[in-house]
Amino acid sequence: MTSFMHSIAVRAENLIDTFQDDAPPENLHLQPYFGYSTPDKIIVRGRALAADTTRASNDTPSLVDNLAAMAALFMTQEVKGETVTLGNNQAVSDDEGYYRLELDRKNPPPGWTEATVKSERSGETVHHPVLITSPTAEYGVISDIDDTVMQTKAWSTRKNLWTSVTGSVGSRYVYPDTATLLKQMAGSMSGTKNPVFYVSSSSWNLHGFLDAVFVANGVVRGPKFLRDFGIDPTKMVVGTHGNHKGAAVDTVLAANPDLPFYLIGDSGQHDPVVYRDAVLRHPGRIKGVFIRTPGPGLGEEDRLPLKEIEAQGVQIFAGETFEPLLDNRF
């Protein structure tokens, strides 16, 4: 049955793509994602869509409005084959509308900058934020989002779904201890001293919404690595939770080869397993692993990976709150 439904979904996706190709969207919109740097490149990221979903990032007054606003985030028409330009650099959006531009890094000042990307068909120009890692950074931070920064109750599918579809920017609960910890580790709200990156299994459709929640709650700004929930000929959802997070950690570490990192997560989706594997793949690169234990707490399937991480000489912490870590020197 699953195989049959997958086949139907792929055919439907291909049919929709055919109509999209024949009828260029009237409301082509470039959605910027936060970019980042490597020692040699500046990475600019975004997505071409046929709908402007910015209204879904605003706070709304009722349950019905919240549901409608969240639905709007996912009722998007991806635009493939759209050419975007940045100076002399050019990229074409893929089947799901994503595009990526790589620029030579020519000694830009560290901190946040903006790259102006232009859509070839609509002529729209959109500023894409990019974080340039400081050469004086002491370390970097990679943090999960769900139940680490923001409460989503991801350990319960029913509770997670309800929280996700009914919450507005103003109603989402951000753990104040995590916000404080990240600010202390980053050295500033902007994350320009020690860079902070976020990895999550949340959909890329939520990028703008998550940014609005972070801004409203004083969470350190940082590039996000979210998950593509598109339909692929070989699978319904591209990548598993663990594979996605592990690959994102690998990408961040590869982009910052001279920096050690701290990994922050929670036990609700078994981040200790993902982080243990990252520690083993990157010996000597991980300084510490900090785990929040929400909901049912720390199970044996998480205790063992934490012991294995500690055996590698990596600092570990696991608790219901990160308050014991506040004001520590890292």
Side-chain angles (χ1 to χ4, degrees):
M1 178 60 74
T2 300
S3 177
F4 174 74
M5 293 301 294
H6 178 215
S7 176
I8 294 298
V10 170
R11 292 184 182 184
E13 178 86 351
N14 290 337
L15 181 61
I16 292 172
D17 288 343
T18 298
F19 283 112
Q20 290 180 3
D21 290 342
D22 292 341
E26 298 178 358
N27 188 27
L28 177 62
H29 174 69
L30 300 185
Q31 184 177 57
Y33 299 144
F34 291 173
Y36 60 96
S37 66
T38 75
D40 304 315
K41 301 288 184 180
I42 294 175
I43 311 300
V44 180
R45 305 178 297 169
R47 196 177 192 185
L49 300 171
D52 186 346
T53 60
T54 53
R55 75 176 186 89
S57 293
N58 298 324
D59 198 12
T60 50
S62 72
L63 175 62
V64 173
D65 287 338
N66 289 343
L67 284 167
M70 293 306 294
L73 288 174
F74 293 91
M75 298 296 289
T76 58
Q77 178 182 325
E78 298 80 19
V79 181
K80 69 175 182 179
E82 176 62 22
T83 300
V84 296
T85 58
L86 175 55
N88 295 324
N89 298 274
Q90 190 175 89
V92 178
S93 61
D94 66 14
D95 288 351
E96 294 296 324
Y98 299 105
Y99 55 85
R100 172 189 172 101
L101 291 144
E102 294 190 6
L103 290 68
D104 290 335
R105 182 170 174 171
K106 299 178 180 178
N107 299 317
W112 287 96
T113 187
E114 289 189 338
T116 303
V117 178
K118 182 178 181 179
S119 166
E120 183 179 77
R121 280 190 289 177
S122 71
E124 177 192 33
T125 58
V126 176
H127 299 301
H128 290 50
V130 180
L131 178 61
I132 309 297
T133 298
S134 172
T136 61
E138 298 176 9
Y139 54 79
V141 178
I142 299 175
S143 176
D144 176 48
I145 295 177
D146 295 335
D147 294 314
T148 300
V149 174
M150 182 174 69
Q151 185 183 69
T152 59
K153 302 178 181 178
W155 66 86
S156 168
T157 301
R158 177 179 59 83
K159 293 179 180 179
N160 183 27
L161 180 61
W162 179 254
T163 301
S164 298
V165 302
T166 63
S168 66
V169 170
S171 70
R172 297 307 290 267
Y173 178 75
V174 167
Y175 295 106
D177 54 305
T178 305
T180 300
L181 176 64
L182 290 173
K183 182 178 179 180
Q184 290 179 357
M185 297 184 77
S188 68
M189 274 298 298
S190 62
T192 54
K193 179 182 179 183
N194 298 318
V196 177
F197 302 86
Y198 297 95
V199 298
S200 172
S201 290
S202 293
S203 168
W204 278 108
N205 296 65
L206 293 176
H207 187 278
F209 176 80
L210 291 172
D211 183 43
V213 172
F214 281 22
V215 170
N217 290 275
V219 179
V220 173
R221 197 182 194 195
K224 298 175 183 64
F225 293 79
L226 306 181
R227 192 175 174 191
D228 177 24
F229 279 76
I231 299 171
D232 181 89
T234 61
K235 47 192 173 294
M236 284 290 285
V237 176
V238 179
T240 65
H241 166 79
N243 289 343
H244 161 71
K245 280 191 176 180
V249 170
D250 292 348
T251 297
V252 174
L253 265 63
N256 299 273
D258 298 326
L259 280 185
F261 273 83
Y262 287 91
L263 307 181
I264 303 177
D266 68 276
S267 59
Q269 292 184 302
H270 306 304
D271 286 341
V273 176
V274 177
Y275 290 168
R276 174 206 58 197
D277 294 344
V279 167
L280 296 177
R281 286 197 306 273
H282 304 281
R285 292 292 308 278
I286 309 302
K287 291 173 68 71
V289 173
F290 305 151
I291 300 295
R292 180 186 296 281
T293 56
L298 199 65
E300 189 58 34
E301 65 271 31
D302 293 315
R303 296 182 190 277
L304 180 57
L306 287 176
K307 291 179 181 178
E308 293 175 311
I309 292 171
E310 190 173 31
Q312 298 296 315
V314 176
Q315 178 188 1
I316 64 168
F317 171 85
E320 294 181 5
T321 172
F322 290 137
E323 288 182 4
L325 295 173
L326 301 183
D327 298 319
N328 286 1
R329 289 190 60 83
F330 296 100

